[in-house]
Every structure is written in C-alpha cells, then in structure tokens.
Amino acid sequence: MKKVLTLVLALALTLGCALGASAEEESYTIGICQLVQHDALDAATDGFMDAVTEALGDRVTFDVQNASGDSNTCATIVNSFVSQGVDLIMANATAALQAAATATYDIPILGTSVTEYGVALDIPDFDGVTGYNVSGTSDLAPLDEQAAMLMELFPDAQTVGMLYCSAEPNSVYQVQVVTETLEAAGIECEDFAFSDSNDLAAVASAACEYSDVIYVPTDNTAAASTGIIDGVCRPAGVPVIAGEEGICSGCGVATLSISYYDLGVATGEMAVRILVDGEDITAMPIEYAPTFTKKYNPEICEELGVEIPEDYVAIG
C-alpha cells in the first residue's frame, strides 16, 4: 500500500509540475483595434503593449489594426479578431469598444480612451461594472474642473461655444456636463456639432462668431483634425479650452488632462490579470486615471495674449 501511495504521489507531483510549466509557457494573442491615429490614442496603445510585454515577454503576440476613424472598419477589424479566436481584444476609443462589444460575448474586451462606459454601451444607471465580458479604463477628466479652468483663465467670458463631433456619444456627454456647470455660473453656451472633418471648418467658423471661448471635449475626430480647428480659431483670436493634451497641443490654450500612456499601462495590467491570473472580467470595475495635470500651450497662449497661472505645466 505504501508503494502504491508513493507512486500516486509521484505521478501527481510530476503532473502538477508539467501543468505548471505548461501554464508558465502558455502564449497569448491580443487583437488591438484603435479607432484613429493621433497622439493620445497612440500613447494608450503603446502603454498597453509595454505593460503586457513586460509581464509576458515573447509569450504575447499583438495584432494591431487602425480603423482610420471609420466605425464600420472597427466592426470589420474586431470581427476578424473573433474569427481568429484571439485571447483578448483591446478596443482603443468608443467606436472600437462598441464594435467589439457587438462582435463577441465570449472573448474578454478591455476598452481604453473611453470617457463614459455607461453612455458608450448604453447601460442605464451604470455602477462601474458592466457584468459581462467588457471592462477597461476611462479617460474622463473631472469635467467640473475643466469648466472651472475655463472660468479661471477667462473670467470675463460670457459666451462659450461647444465644438464637438455629433457622432461621438461620449463627446455629447462631456458637453452636457460642462454646459450645465458653466450655465449655473451665468455663462451662455451654444452647441456647435460637426458630423466629420468635412464640415468642421464651417462649424468652427460659426462657433468663433458666437464665442468668447470655445470648449472642445475629449473627441477623437477633433483630435485628428486639430489643424483645421487651429486654422480657424487662432486667426479669429478665439481661445480653445481642450479636453485632453493632444487636442490642446494642436489647437488649444489649456487643458486639464491625463497621461494616455499611463492609462494604457493600467489597461495592460488589467489584461495580464485576466489572461494569467484568471480574474473574472465580468466583475472588474472600470478604472480611472489617478492624477490630472493643468497644462498649457505656450505658443498659442503667447500669440493670443493669454496669461497662465504658475501652477500650469507647459506642453512640449
């Protein structure tokens, strides 16, 4: 009997070691769908890949696809990931997240650079956990503090134009919140929504005619078209408060922003917990950036004569 038990234990130990080695050597494929190429989203993707690579080394393969700003292309990309049977999908920006969430209910999906998941995924009374195969990180900066920044820099402003893409639901959400805050302080606000980059110049011109200051939320179409916005607003002498640093560096005077690279790193760490540690994505709460920084664009501020307090950090 002792010999039998010894043999059984030896076999169990051998099997356990083999399984452990197999788990350690397991490889993964991650599909990355990025809505459009611009500095903020690029930084988030880089941070994600760096964090996962640091943990898994050459045991992870990335399939990185860019949709060039087209939501239909996002759907094509994520459907190809599903067909390939990737181990996880990283969806960078709202349209990519929406496409992924529609494409699969089985493969874990992590979003990043998504402002408000409840809005993006149409979840009423969202409490921070989706309850299904979607989680991720949010790039939402405190919108009331962005409104306060606008009032701090431009205390005499009476009219603020809200310039955003109507096709991005998270942009609509941000504009609503900032508008409520500004109007509560007695400042008039008007929406100037463009459908895509083709009508942006005309809409921006109308916004300049109305506005003392323009607010541009975290908006991927705007981020990819800052040259158009700057080409209209700066010659008109109308300053832009931006929702994130990438937009601010292209056309704004100031922003309260986050590090998109760090946001990507946090998303990558979530991916490792799912793939390696077996954490249940259905119970993983959305994570938010821990810190925010007041930043300004020295070139545009100087040209427009905007005075910046000492606690702001120069971009660049």
Side-chain angles (χ1 to χ4, degrees), residues 154 156-161 207-208 210-214 237-239:
F154 305 101
D156 297 326
Q158 298 181 347
T159 55
V160 174
C208 286
Y210 168 85
S211 311
D212 294 323
V213 182
I214 287 175
V238 180

Side-chain angles (χ1 to χ4, degrees), residues 13-293:
L13 181 60
T14 301
L15 180 60
C17 290
L19 290 173
S22 175
E24 289 179 1
E25 295 170 2
E26 186 173 355
S27 60
Y28 306 93
T29 299
I30 296 177
I32 297 176
C33 178
Q34 181 173 318
L35 173 62
V36 67
Q37 184 173 7
H38 64 69
D39 290 346
L41 298 191
D42 291 348
T45 293
D46 289 344
F48 176 84
M49 294 174 66
D50 287 350
V52 175
T53 301
E54 181 178 351
L56 300 179
D58 59 6
R59 294 191 292 126
V60 62
T61 300
F62 299 103
D63 185 352
V64 184
Q65 302 286 335
N66 193 296
S68 301
D70 188 344
S71 58
N72 291 326
T73 303
C74 285
T76 301
I77 291 170
V78 296
N79 282 325
S80 73
F81 291 159
V82 174
S83 297
Q84 294 170 36
V86 299
D87 297 294
L88 183 141
I89 295 173
M90 194 279 264
N92 194 345
T94 300
L97 178 72
Q98 292 170 327
T102 301
T104 177
Y105 298 103
D106 301 314
I107 298 172
I109 300 166
L110 287 176
T112 193
S113 312
V114 176
T115 303
E116 173 54 54
Y117 281 73
V119 173
L121 300 174
D122 194 22
I123 303 175
D125 302 320
F126 182 59
D127 63 0
V129 178
T130 68
Y132 51 96
N133 64 317
V134 178
S135 189
T137 57
S138 168
D139 61 1
L140 180 64
L143 297 174
D144 57 341
E145 293 184 28
Q146 288 189 353
M149 167 184 284
L150 188 153
M151 292 185 284
E152 175 187 34
L153 295 178
F154 305 101
D156 297 326
Q158 298 181 347
T159 55
V160 174
M162 301 289 170
L163 183 64
Y164 64 97
C165 180
S166 57
E168 299 197 26
N170 277 315
S171 296
V172 177
Y173 168 79
Q174 293 170 80
V175 162
Q176 289 174 342
V177 174
V178 173
T179 295
E180 290 173 1
T181 304
L182 293 176
E183 288 183 342
I187 298 173
E188 294 182 7
C189 299
E190 183 75 27
D191 285 3
F192 293 90
F194 55 92
S195 57
D196 54 38
S197 59
N198 293 320
D199 63 341
L200 175 53
V203 175
S205 295
C208 286
E209 292 178 6
Y210 168 85
S211 311
D212 294 323
V213 182
I214 287 175
Y215 174 74
V216 178
T218 300
D219 182 295
N220 290 301
T221 307
S225 308
T226 56
I228 297 174
I229 299 172
D230 189 49
V232 173
C233 296
R234 199 187 324 190
V238 180
V240 173
I241 293 294
E244 56 94 5
E245 183 175 339
I247 297 175
C248 188
S249 64
C251 64
V253 295
T255 183
L256 180 67
S257 191
I258 65 172
S259 165
Y260 276 82
Y261 180 86
D262 291 346
L263 197 69
V265 168
T267 315
E269 291 170 347
M270 294 176 75
V272 173
R273 301 204 307 269
I274 293 166
L275 295 174
V276 179
D277 301 335
E279 189 164 336
D280 181 7
I281 190 172
T282 67
M284 295 177 75
I286 303 303
E287 297 188 9
Y288 294 83
T291 59
F292 304 91
T293 305

